[in-house]
Amino acid sequence: MAENSVLTSTTGRTSLADSSIFDSKVTEISKENLLIESTSYVEEEMPQIETRVILVQEAGKQEELIKALKDIKVGFVKMESVEEFEGLDSPEFENVFVVMDFQDSVFNDLYKADCRVIGPPIVLNCSQKGEPLPFSCRPLYCTSMMNLVLCFTGFRKKEELVRLVTLVHHMGGVIRKDFNSKVTHLVANCTQGEKFRVAVSLGTPIMKPEWIYKAWERRNEQDFCAAVDDFRNEFKVPPFQDCILSFLGFSDEEKTNMEEMTEMQGGKYLPLGDERCTHLVVEENIVKDLPFEPSKKLYVVKQEWFWGSIQMDARAGETMYLYEKANTPELKKSVSMLSLNTPNSNRKRRRLKETLAQLSRETDVSPFPPRKRPSAEHSLSIGSLLDISNTPESSINYGDTPKSCTKSSKNSTPVPSKQSARWQVAKELYQTESNYVNILATIIQLFQVPLEEEGQCGGRILAPEEIKTIFGSIPDIFDVHTKIKDDLEDLIVNWDESKSIGDIFLKYSKDLVKTYPPFVNFFEMSKETIIKCEKQKPRFHAFLKINQAKPECGRQSLVELLIRPVQRLPSVALLLNDLKKHTADENPDKSTLEKAIGSLKEVMMHINEDKRKTEAQKQIFDVVYEVDGCPANLLSSHRSLIQRVETISLGEHPCDRGEQVTLFLFNDCLEIARKRHKVIGTFRSPHGQTRPPASLKHIHLMPLSQIKKVLDIRETEDCHNAFALLVRPPTEQANVLLSFQMTSDELPKENWLKMLCRHVANTICKADAENLIYTADPESFEVNTKDMDSTLSRASRAIKKTSKKVTRAFSFSKTPKRALRRAFMTSHGSVEGRSPSSNDKHVMSRLSSTSSLAGIPSPSLVSLPSFFERRSHTLSRSTTHLI
């Protein structure tokens, strides 16, 4: 039996939110109402249809659903069978049925009756967001695919396609028969067809059918969306699905790498010549002819198709990357015609000789390099090592067109047939600078700009932080050297021996200081980021491979191109030195060149100094990450790590005897840390990089000024490799002894103690560092290393640690000592003048015992000076003569 509604809508409006799609029946009712109103001129307001939710079978037993309907103020009733629907049907209500299972017979009966059916997630989602129930002319179970527009291709079984379309509608998605720009996802059962090609060109995600099935399995999860990247990327169609590849012309290493990438991207590979292959990937720069006649079904493509498909994360169209054999009929015909027009080989050699002579003469006259292969002499020069290609024309010039190509020089003077040595060096300086600017432009235009572009096909290849780490200040370096190149070009075009080249580099010396150190200092980090991303991200690996094959890169990798800024300044300094040698003493540019060379050296010294500081700061950060609880004030711009020493504590301080202690010597302080007994968890940075957990626990950060003496303990049968530090904390009057045993033989004890004394002397401004070292017998200070590694010693240390933990557990009190004393005094005053009762005695005894427990200091909370306080009287006699 149907139950009466426990809550009805207080407003006359419907609780359904109308969408852009209206039910046909609602439209007809609206039209009839308008017609009646217009003909009868009834001024009374038409009665409104109230929304009522009917919870079918199991849905009526869900308390969560009932609470959600109350939250959105929608009336509801419960229904056990379809037969009860006739008794619930009323023109006063717009019924919305909530069904738990869209697969059972009750749902089918309601669907055939053209009833409006929704799933429980719809109700819960509306309650969570405070929204009315959505209007839909189709059964709607959840909103996992709301606002998604899907298109299907490659499905031959109608039953499977109908099933997928139905599930998409149940999750709120929209289906389009034809593919257009409004389609958000293409569901493909194959990697061919017009829809597939259009989706690839538009960058539309291409999904497997499993995407829909898996989204339906998660239909009951609140706030789940099938379009989120983490979920969607699991079901994207891989680039080489349904493809069987073979490779030709690659080295064994390259072939192995490409075969691994093929399997990783959903494809298969077979040996060369197998008839089952669908694609033959050819290294077009090596293969001149195919070893067999390919079948019509076999795609013979360049390697760019392979890497381009991986970069786009979708199978690229083969027609743009088809391999063309070098011995095509057209090419053979042109070669044969050329041979007929050539009378004999002697004439060809003579003509070649004349051409080379003409080119040589042009080189002598023009201030710019000939656009032919450079000579062997030029190839071996220091500056030309920065040229990325064998021929200058192979590099694309992204800068301005050389002024010599657009206008004549201002002071056009006849260039002598034989230029001076100074002019030759200046020309080489300009040539290398122009090549260097082209390299920087190649890095920016081919690598950085495409990686930073929005809307990349298949999503971003790298994160913005990774791009910044890789390229750093390359754009700034490019801007500075573009200006230098332009100034050198003006000087070469309007050449005069008195023109100053040194002034150009002096002019931009400050800009060089600003731009180079940030890049050079972090070049190793940039290199490591490239290697890591290339291993972890196949799309980035494919992106690098595609660009490396382009002529602008000269078949060099990104790392090889990025090392050029590191090499450029030393090369310029050598060329300026060479230019100074060929400059006359009376030429004013000679002194200017010396200043320019000095400024470049200052820039390089600044780079080296910054690099040293950067490495030192990195070492300090490593210490902070490794030591749990390390004080923040350890990080300082003037501080640097000098030495790390692994030791074992031989006394009770700064930790228990036998504890493994690590000493970090800085230029002004000593960080003391012990090995952690338990290492839990890992550190994850905001960028997702995982850092290993801290393996050490901070004990004390001691200024070197507190070290009064360094004791070199003599070697005996019971004492090996031991030393001690005599320390006086600022809050104590007595001296404290810290004794250690070095566990590593890499650093001799003598060298370590001298190093420590030298930095202590520098801190306290003393020149006699050796006087800080005192050689002592181990018996005088009760120091020995005997049985440090024995089983009995380890057991003793374990018992001591357990005892300490128990003491620590009882030493903590939730009630402060002062409050306990106040309570005790109050209770004592209240019973003054009368004998305390048994109950009073019991209370006072408990308070006094608790107060005594609270007075026990906890070892974990005692500072270093209080640790040393206990043993100071035993050392006073032994250390008096040291001070």
Side-chain angles (χ1 to χ4, degrees):
M1 294 294 294
E3 298 181 7
N4 293 331
S5 173
V6 296
L7 184 64
T8 59
S9 177
T10 56
T11 61
R13 302 182 206 173
T14 178
S15 296
L16 298 178
D18 293 339
S19 64
S20 59
I21 304 175
F22 292 91
D23 188 80
S24 58
K25 288 188 176 182
V26 176
T27 307
E28 291 175 3
I29 293 173
S30 301
K31 290 182 179 179
E32 291 176 2
N33 291 339
L34 290 174
L35 181 61
I36 294 172
E37 186 176 356
S38 61
T39 55
S40 61
Y41 300 98
V42 178
E43 295 182 358
E44 296 181 1
E45 186 179 357
M46 294 295 295
Q48 297 292 327
I49 299 176
E50 184 179 345
T51 300
R52 181 174 62 181
V53 172
I54 300 177
L55 302 176
V56 181
Q57 293 180 345
E58 293 297 325
K61 302 176 183 179
Q62 303 294 321
E63 295 296 333
E64 190 178 10
L65 280 177
I66 296 174
K67 181 179 182 301
L69 290 172
K70 291 179 181 180
D71 292 341
I72 58 177
K73 298 180 181 179
V74 177
F76 67 90
V77 295
K78 298 179 182 180
M79 186 180 78
E80 292 296 333
S81 63
V82 180
E83 288 75 13
E84 299 177 9
F85 173 60
E86 296 179 358
L88 296 174
D89 193 14
S90 173
E92 298 179 0
F93 295 102
E94 176 71 21
N95 293 319
V96 181
F97 295 83
V98 179
V99 180
M100 296 291 294
D101 188 4
F102 273 27
Q103 308 295 328
D104 61 8
S105 58
V106 176
F107 169 80
N108 294 331
D109 294 339
L110 292 174
Y111 179 65
K112 292 177 182 177
D114 202 16
C115 297
R116 295 172 58 189
V117 185
I118 62 175
I122 296 294
V123 179
L124 298 176
N125 192 42
C126 291
S127 173
Q128 181 181 357
K129 297 182 179 179
E131 299 175 351
L133 297 175
F135 184 95
S136 176
C137 59
R138 297 188 183 94
L140 183 64
Y141 188 88
C142 63
T143 58
S144 299
M145 288 192 173
M146 190 66 71
N147 302 322
L148 300 186
V149 182
L150 276 64
C151 185
F152 292 84
T153 183
F155 291 88
R156 296 188 177 183
K157 294 181 180 180
K158 185 178 180 181
E159 297 79 7
E160 183 183 7
L161 183 60
V162 170
R163 171 67 175 158
L164 290 171
V165 170
T166 302
L167 293 180
V168 171
H169 285 157
H170 288 348
M171 292 184 286
V174 179
I175 305 297
R176 290 286 180 267
K177 181 179 179 181
D178 299 323
F179 191 91
N180 53 42
S181 59
K182 294 182 180 179
V183 174
T184 59
H185 296 80
L186 176 67
V187 182
N189 203 28
C190 67
T191 57
Q192 296 177 351
E194 183 179 354
K195 291 182 181 179
F196 187 90
R197 291 285 158 236
V198 175
V200 171
S201 62
L202 294 179
T204 304
I206 304 173
M207 311 302 299
K208 298 178 182 178
E210 288 80 4
W211 175 55
I212 298 175
Y213 291 128
K214 290 295 182 180
W216 179 249
E217 290 178 4
R218 300 178 62 176
R219 61 188 179 276
N220 291 315
E221 296 183 16
Q222 291 293 320
D223 301 325
F224 169 70
C225 178
V228 294
D229 291 340
D230 292 341
F231 176 75
R232 183 185 64 183
N233 291 340
E234 296 180 17
F235 306 100
K236 292 184 71 174
V237 174
F240 300 136
Q241 179 174 301
D242 303 330
C243 295
I244 303 176
L245 280 57
S246 59
F247 303 93
L248 178 63
F250 300 94
S251 65
D252 293 340
E253 183 179 356
E254 289 177 319
K255 185 179 178 182
T256 302
N257 179 33
M258 296 175 81
E259 288 173 349
E260 292 175 356
M261 297 292 291
T262 300
E263 290 184 335
M264 191 184 303
Q265 301 299 324
K268 300 178 181 178
Y269 64 90
L270 289 173
L272 183 66
D274 196 301
E275 295 180 355
R276 292 172 293 175
C277 290
T278 60
H279 295 74
L280 173 60
V281 183
V282 177
E283 167 56 282
E284 64 276 11
N285 297 315
I286 295 178
V287 177
K288 302 303 179 184
D289 195 7
L290 299 178
F292 60 91
E293 187 65 27
S295 63
K296 294 182 179 179
K297 296 182 180 180
L298 181 66
Y299 289 106
V300 183
V301 293
K302 303 175 184 178
Q303 62 169 330
E304 190 176 354
W305 171 84
F306 180 85
W307 298 116
S309 299
I310 298 176
Q311 180 187 335
M312 292 190 300
D313 205 14
R315 177 178 164 184
E318 290 84 359
T319 54
M320 297 177 58
Y321 303 97
L322 292 177
Y323 169 75
E324 297 178 359
K325 293 187 289 187
N327 56 347
T328 56
E330 294 78 7
L331 183 60
K332 289 182 178 179
K333 183 178 179 180
S334 61
V335 172
S336 62
M337 291 182 63
L338 180 62
S339 301
L340 291 174
N341 294 332
T342 307
N344 51 57
S345 59
N346 293 332
R347 186 172 179 179
K348 286 194 293 184
R349 286 195 293 270
R350 187 167 59 253
R351 183 175 297 175
L352 178 61
K353 187 176 181 180
E354 292 174 356
T355 303
L356 292 176
Q358 176 65 23
L359 288 175
S360 178
R361 287 192 296 271
E362 290 177 0
T363 304
D364 291 339
V365 175
S366 173
F368 297 100
R371 302 194 66 79
K372 294 293 180 181
R373 186 176 298 276
S375 63
E377 180 184 357
H378 176 72
S379 300
L380 294 175
S381 64
I382 295 174
S384 63
L385 290 175
L386 296 172
D387 192 356
I388 64 170
S389 60
N390 291 330
T391 57
E393 66 268 20
S394 64
S395 298
I396 294 178
N397 187 358
Y398 293 96
D400 300 332
T401 305
K403 299 179 181 180
S404 60
C405 300
T406 58
K407 63 179 182 178
S408 59
S409 61
K410 298 178 182 178
N411 302 322
S412 55
T413 56
V415 181
S417 58
K418 187 175 182 180
Q419 293 84 3
S420 63
R422 173 178 161 83
W423 187 88
Q424 293 286 354
V425 178
K427 183 184 70 171
E428 183 178 0
L429 178 62
Y430 166 75
Q431 289 174 347
T432 57
E433 188 69 20
S434 180
N435 289 335
Y436 178 58
V437 170
N438 288 343
I439 292 171
L440 297 177
T442 298
I443 294 172
I444 295 172
Q445 297 294 333
L446 289 187
F447 294 94
Q448 185 175 4
V449 172
L451 289 173
E452 291 177 342
E453 283 180 352
E454 298 290 341
Q456 299 175 25
C457 185
R460 278 190 172 274
I461 297 177
L462 294 180
E465 297 83 7
E466 294 170 330
I467 298 174
K468 181 64 178 176
T469 302
I470 291 173
F471 297 100
S473 59
I474 284 288
D476 299 329
I477 295 175
F478 172 72
D479 292 339
V480 175
H481 281 274
T482 300
K483 297 175 183 177
I484 295 175
K485 187 206 76 168
D486 292 341
D487 290 353
L488 287 174
E489 187 175 323
D490 284 337
L491 186 142
I492 295 295
V493 171
N494 305 299
W495 176 255
D496 187 272
E497 290 291 335
S498 60
K499 290 288 184 70
S500 176
I501 296 176
D503 284 337
I504 297 176
F505 289 92
L506 287 175
K507 177 181 177 182
Y508 298 104
S509 60
K510 293 183 179 179
D511 295 329
L512 296 176
V513 171
K514 292 179 182 178
T515 56
Y516 268 92
F519 180 82
V520 176
N521 293 340
F522 292 96
F523 172 72
E524 290 300 326
M525 187 183 298
S526 172
K527 182 179 175 181
E528 291 173 1
T529 304
I530 294 173
I531 295 173
K532 182 193 71 174
C533 291
E534 193 173 3
K535 289 181 179 179
Q536 297 178 354
K537 302 184 178 183
R539 294 181 59 210
F540 181 63
H541 178 71
F543 173 79
L544 296 180
K545 284 290 184 180
I546 292 172
N547 287 325
Q548 184 176 340
K550 294 180 179 179
E552 298 95 307
C553 293
R555 301 186 64 80
Q556 294 187 83
S557 65
L558 178 59
V559 173
E560 291 172 330
L561 294 177
L562 285 174
I563 202 174
R564 300 310 174 91
V566 180
Q567 301 169 339
R568 182 55 187 165
L569 291 185
S571 300
V572 173
L574 290 176
L575 285 171
L576 291 182
N577 264 318
D578 196 14
L579 191 66
K580 188 183 73 169
K581 292 178 183 177
H582 295 91
T583 301
D585 294 338
E586 61 273 7
N587 193 325
D589 192 32
K590 186 147 190 171
S591 59
T592 309
L593 284 172
E594 291 179 355
K595 294 179 182 178
I597 295 169
S599 68
L600 285 179
K601 289 182 179 179
E602 289 180 5
V603 173
M604 289 185 282
M605 289 177 60
H606 189 75
I607 292 173
N608 294 334
E609 181 65 19
D610 277 7
K611 188 173 183 179
R612 187 189 64 78
K613 290 181 180 178
T614 303
E615 291 175 351
Q617 291 295 315
K618 184 177 180 297
Q619 290 176 339
I620 297 179
F621 274 105
D622 291 340
V623 172
V624 172
Y625 284 125
E626 188 178 1
V627 179
D628 182 28
C630 187
N633 59 0
L634 180 66
L635 297 172
S636 178
S637 58
H638 72 276
R639 185 166 291 140
S640 59
L641 178 64
I642 306 301
Q643 187 64 47
R644 171 181 178 150
V645 178
E646 302 293 339
T647 67
I648 295 177
S649 177
L650 298 179
E652 297 181 3
H653 314 299
C655 56
D656 292 338
R657 176 179 169 83
E659 289 270 10
Q660 296 183 19
V661 179
T662 302
L663 304 178
F664 295 96
L665 175 62
F666 295 88
N667 58 323
D668 62 342
C669 62
L670 183 69
E671 165 65 18
I672 305 175
R674 66 168 175 83
K675 185 179 179 180
R676 294 187 64 177
H677 305 305
K678 290 185 180 180
V679 180
I680 303 174
T682 57
F683 170 77
R684 182 174 290 275
S685 72
H687 306 304
Q689 298 176 351
T690 304
R691 185 179 295 277
S695 59
L696 301 174
K697 180 72 175 178
H698 167 74
I699 296 178
H700 186 61
L701 181 61
M702 180 194 304
L704 295 183
S705 58
Q706 294 183 11
I707 300 177
K708 302 306 177 183
K709 286 289 181 180
V710 176
L711 305 183
D712 183 4
I713 308 298
R714 289 191 177 96
E715 296 290 321
T716 64
E717 185 177 353
D718 295 336
C719 189
H720 299 285
N721 222 18
F723 70 95
L725 303 178
L726 191 65
V727 179
R728 178 177 291 177
T731 58
E732 302 296 326
Q733 296 297 325
N735 299 314
V736 181
L737 188 70
L738 307 179
S739 55
F740 306 94
Q741 179 189 20
M742 298 180 65
T743 59
S744 176
D745 296 332
E746 295 180 0
L747 178 67
K749 183 178 72 170
E750 182 182 359
N751 296 351
W752 156 246
L753 296 180
K754 287 182 178 180
M755 182 189 307
L756 176 61
C757 289
R758 184 170 67 253
H759 287 282
V760 171
N762 292 339
T763 304
I764 62 179
C765 300
K766 282 189 175 181
D768 50 347
E770 295 182 356
N771 292 336
L772 293 173
I773 299 180
Y774 179 82
T775 304
D777 295 325
E779 294 81 7
S780 303
F781 297 93
E782 301 178 4
V783 175
N784 70 84
T785 61
K786 187 177 181 181
D787 298 332
M788 289 302 299
D789 296 328
S790 65
T791 305
L792 182 62
S793 178
R794 288 194 295 267
S796 175
R797 290 197 296 269
I799 293 172
K800 187 178 293 186
K801 290 175 186 175
T802 306
S803 175
K804 214 169 189 181
K805 289 180 182 178
V806 174
T807 305
R808 185 183 300 118
F810 283 99
S811 65
F812 287 130
S813 176
K814 296 181 180 180
T815 309
K817 181 179 178 182
R818 187 180 300 174
L820 286 172
R821 187 180 292 115
R822 189 183 300 117
F824 174 75
M825 295 300 295
T826 303
S827 63
H828 179 71
S830 63
V831 298
E832 188 175 356
R834 65 180 178 89
S835 61
S837 63
S838 60
N839 188 33
D840 293 334
K841 292 179 180 179
H842 176 68
V843 170
M844 286 189 293
S845 64
R846 289 192 62 185
L847 284 172
S848 60
S849 62
T850 309
S851 178
S852 62
L853 280 176
I856 299 175
S858 170
S860 62
L861 299 179
V862 178
S863 62
L864 187 65
S866 56
F867 257 136
F868 300 150
E869 188 175 340
R870 291 180 240 162
R871 248 187 110 193
S872 60
H873 65 279
T874 62
L875 297 173
S876 59
R877 237 179 256 173
S878 301
T879 57
T880 303
H881 66 284
L882 294 178
I883 304 300

